[in-house]
Amino acid sequence: MSKKIKTPEVKELFEAILALKNEEECFLFFEDVCTTNEILSFAQRYQVAKLLGENRTYQEIAEKSGASTATISRVKRSIDDGSGGYEMIFKRLKK
């Protein structure tokens, strides 16, 4: 995990997120905390990661998600060289 984000403030934010109880609470909280574009960017990156996991081509991913090839490359790098967060959540959601 990156030491850059492991701050008391980020830890407190994550504790707040973990206290959310359902999808509606997530919508309410994130709409207040993030801009619409930030939320849509998170969602797009998540979709890109899912499509990469399905072994889709960059062209297919770009067409389906609207993401640029630069964004797709960044997400691919996160999957290949990151902390394993995408893989962890995809495994949990399969169960």
Side-chain angles (χ1 to χ4, degrees):
M1 177 185 315
S2 171
K3 292 180 182 180
K4 293 178 187 177
I5 70 162
K6 205 166 189 181
T7 66
E9 296 81 9
V10 173
K11 184 176 178 179
E12 190 174 334
L13 171 65
F14 289 168
E15 287 171 359
I17 292 168
L18 290 169
L20 298 170
K21 294 183 175 150
N22 55 46
E23 185 179 277
E24 183 60 27
E25 288 186 3
C26 286
F27 276 105
L28 295 171
F29 181 74
F30 281 95
E31 191 170 29
D32 284 351
V33 172
C34 300
T35 67
T36 300
N37 285 339
E38 288 169 334
I39 295 167
L40 294 174
S41 291
F42 286 147
Q44 183 183 62
R45 281 183 238 139
Y46 182 79
Q47 290 305 312
V48 167
K50 280 179 50 180
L51 293 167
L52 284 166
E54 296 171 4
N55 295 314
R56 303 286 184 98
T57 67
Y58 276 33
Q59 183 64 35
E60 290 173 315
I61 295 168
E63 289 172 6
K64 186 159 179 124
S65 69
S68 68
T69 55
T71 296
I72 298 167
S73 293
R74 266 186 252 117
V75 172
K76 176 83 168 112
R77 241 185 340 271
S78 292
I79 291 169
D80 293 344
D81 303 326
S83 301
Y86 281 120
E87 183 179 339
M88 174 190 65
I89 201 67
F90 292 145
K91 281 182 183 177
R92 285 187 188 165
L93 292 173
K94 279 185 180 178
K95 293 181 180 182

